[in-house]
Amino acid sequence: MMKRIIVLLAGLLCVACCWANAEGELTARDLNSTDAFAFSLERVLHLTPPDDAKYNNYFVQQGCCTDGTYAYTILENQKIGKGSIWKLDMKDWSVVDMKYNLPIDHGNDITYNPVLDQLIVVHNKPNYTFISFVDPDTLKHVAAKELPYRMYAISYEPTRDQYVVGISGTFHFAILDSNFETLAYYEGVDTGFTKQNIDSDENYIYFSQWKGGAKGNVVMVYDWEGNFVTQIRVKGYQEIESLLHVGDEWYIAFYSDRASHIYKATLEYDSKKAYQSTLSQ
């Protein structure tokens, strides 16, 4: 009898381990409107400016993006309203290059367009209607452009050759073509959270949002037709700033204690389904 119990327990443990491994292997293709999801976190980088009076006020984490090889992250100097962009090798998260004193204002979000081979930054406050183009090789500011929207975030999706921009003061968003002409405008769910950045892939658009306290962070997921799909609870309580992905690998940047904290994020099923109730609060 004891041997049977041991065998049974071993079998249950094996099933549990397989289920746990399956959880860790979830991708964006597994997202749906029925199940609850969460991101677990493992820190890969703690990023601070150099100990130099000229640069040490560039510490407020803002937008991030990737070209598939490098990550580009904005650290803002809120005393002068300018930004720095750090180029990071995603193999080991080493700093490849950095540029300071960029005229990108708050620099709330950034995306990469491989067709243009340009980084595109949403200024947000105080110049809400402006985007800037930055050379990813030199990190030099190339040009600025004004759009007919007050924006807080942007993402470019290459398979669609389209942008999505978040509209400041609302939870709404617009889909733009490659020339920044409007294709569609959608109303989003008002969560009451603070809106941060946008990431996207061929199927979904991901809006990072922060509440603080026990409610922490959430990623709101929509399809490209403007339909809400699900929300992803983020298992971390620092202020989420930016979400990015390379293939099926996710990374999230947070701001805390005058520094950037970048984590590898693993998509899982979430047992805390009650967290979905934030949508109705």
Side-chain angles (χ1 to χ4, degrees), residues 4 9 19 28 47-48 60 71 76 90 105 122 216 241 253 266 275 279:
R4 288 183 180 179
L9 290 174
W19 181 75
L47 185 64
T48 58
V60 183
E76 182 195 7
M90 298 182 73
D105 296 317
V122 160
E241 294 289 348
T266 300
Y275 198 79
L279 293 176

Side-chain angles (χ1 to χ4, degrees), residues 77-264:
N77 182 336
Q78 294 191 337
K79 288 191 173 183
I80 63 173
K82 290 189 176 181
S84 63
I85 296 182
W86 298 58
K87 185 174 183 177
L88 309 169
D89 188 334
M90 298 182 73
K91 291 179 183 176
D92 58 6
W93 293 97
S94 60
V95 177
V96 176
D97 196 5
M98 66 187 83
K99 283 290 184 295
Y100 296 91
N101 206 38
L102 294 171
I104 55 177
D105 296 317
H106 191 62
N108 201 64
D109 202 6
I110 182 172
T111 192
Y112 174 69
N113 183 327
V115 178
L116 301 177
D117 190 26
Q118 295 278 282
L119 302 169
I120 302 172
V121 180
V122 160
H123 284 223
N124 197 239
K125 63 183 180 182
N127 295 301
Y128 288 88
T129 57
F130 278 84
I131 59 174
S132 275
F133 298 85
V134 174
D135 187 310
D137 294 322
T138 65
L139 302 183
K140 290 183 178 179
H141 185 270
V142 176
K145 181 181 179 65
E146 188 170 12
L147 301 184
Y149 293 108
R150 290 170 56 85
M151 299 164 289
Y152 70 87
I154 188 168
S155 180
Y156 175 77
E157 209 298 296
T159 64
R160 294 174 174 269
D161 195 21
Q162 294 175 357
Y163 298 91
V164 53
V165 294
I167 309 303
S168 293
T170 76
F171 288 83
H172 308 334
F173 55 100
I175 309 299
L176 313 179
D177 67 15
S178 59
N179 294 314
F180 300 101
E181 298 294 329
T182 303
L183 299 175
Y185 186 94
Y186 299 116
E187 294 188 3
V189 176
D190 185 343
T191 61
F193 283 42
T194 299
K195 305 177 300 297
Q196 303 288 36
N197 96 308
I198 301 175
D199 191 25
S200 63
D201 58 31
E202 63 271 24
N203 296 314
Y204 298 120
I205 304 168
Y206 308 90
F207 296 84
S208 304
Q209 299 180 6
W210 174 71
K211 186 67 171 179
K215 291 185 177 178
N217 302 291
V218 67
V219 175
M220 300 290 286
V221 184
Y222 292 78
D223 64 25
W224 283 85
E225 285 69 50
N227 301 302
F228 172 70
V229 178
T230 189
Q231 66 177 160
I232 305 171
R233 182 170 67 93
V234 180
K235 295 181 177 180
Y237 295 98
Q238 297 170 317
E239 181 180 357
I240 191 172
E241 294 289 348
S242 198
L243 171 74
L244 60 90
H245 75 279
V246 178
D248 291 331
E249 291 190 348
W250 296 87
Y251 297 91
I252 298 177
F254 297 85
Y255 171 63
S256 178
D257 300 324
R258 297 172 63 93
S260 167
H261 305 264
I262 299 179
Y263 289 77
K264 189 178 190 306

